[in-house]
Amino acid sequence: QIDQEDGDEHELSPLPCHEALPRQRIQDTRENGRGQLRCMMSNHHPVLVFMQEAGLEQYADLLVTNGFDDMETLVEIDDLDMKDMGISLGHRRKLSKRLRELGVQSQQQSQQQSQQQSQ
């Protein structure tokens, strides 16, 4: 993408992580072999940390770029979303399992906090 301001031509910086790219552009990137999507994320970004722990960190940029940029949104991802982004079947299953486990852990923590507050 080129910015033409005052006759000067220079490349624009990449889109911020929170701006979703159209699915077609993601598919073109994958099919044309132009490399992975790059996104400037902190090593402490919750989605990146979760994906690293799941052994699926190669998808962190893709998820964040497509709007799954926080854990609240990521837990709502479904199989069709993952398939549309090009995540392989085995990795979709693995991610779904880890997200279910995360939901159970969150539920247990909420119950423990409720019990502690009522005592």
Side-chain angles (χ1 to χ4, degrees), residues 69-87:
D69 54 359
D70 58 41
M71 292 307 297
E72 184 178 334
T73 308
L74 184 59
V75 298
E76 298 296 324
I77 197 169
D78 63 27
D79 193 63
L80 184 58
D81 294 328
M82 292 185 276
K83 185 176 183 178
D84 286 347
M85 287 186 276
I87 299 175

Side-chain angles (χ1 to χ4, degrees), residues 27-78:
Q27 188 173 14
D28 290 345
T29 300
R30 190 177 62 248
E31 290 174 359
N32 294 335
R34 290 185 290 191
Q36 285 185 309
L37 296 173
R38 300 281 182 220
C39 185
M40 298 303 289
M41 273 192 291
S42 159
N43 288 334
H44 303 291
H45 191 286
V47 173
L48 176 59
V49 171
F50 176 79
M51 295 302 287
Q52 286 173 331
E53 290 172 356
L56 298 168
E57 70 182 275
Q58 68 268 34
Y59 299 112
D61 286 344
L62 182 65
L63 291 167
V64 169
T65 303
N66 278 278
F68 296 96
D69 54 359
D70 58 41
M71 292 307 297
E72 184 178 334
T73 308
L74 184 59
V75 298
E76 298 296 324
I77 197 169
D78 63 27

Side-chain angles (χ1 to χ4, degrees), residues 5-21:
E5 184 178 308
D6 300 327
D8 289 336
E9 290 186 12
H10 57 279
E11 287 191 35
L12 293 176
S13 60
L15 292 173
C17 295
H18 65 279
E19 291 186 30
L21 295 174

Side-chain angles (χ1 to χ4, degrees), residues 89-115:
L89 177 60
H91 288 166
R92 293 194 312 258
R93 300 252 199 269
K94 188 175 183 179
L95 179 54
S96 293
K97 180 182 178 201
R98 293 300 300 259
L99 288 167
R100 281 192 307 274
E101 291 169 355
L102 178 67
V104 169
Q105 288 173 352
S106 295
Q107 215 172 26
Q108 290 172 344
Q109 288 174 351
S110 294
Q111 289 172 350
Q112 288 174 352
Q113 289 174 350
S114 295
Q115 289 172 352

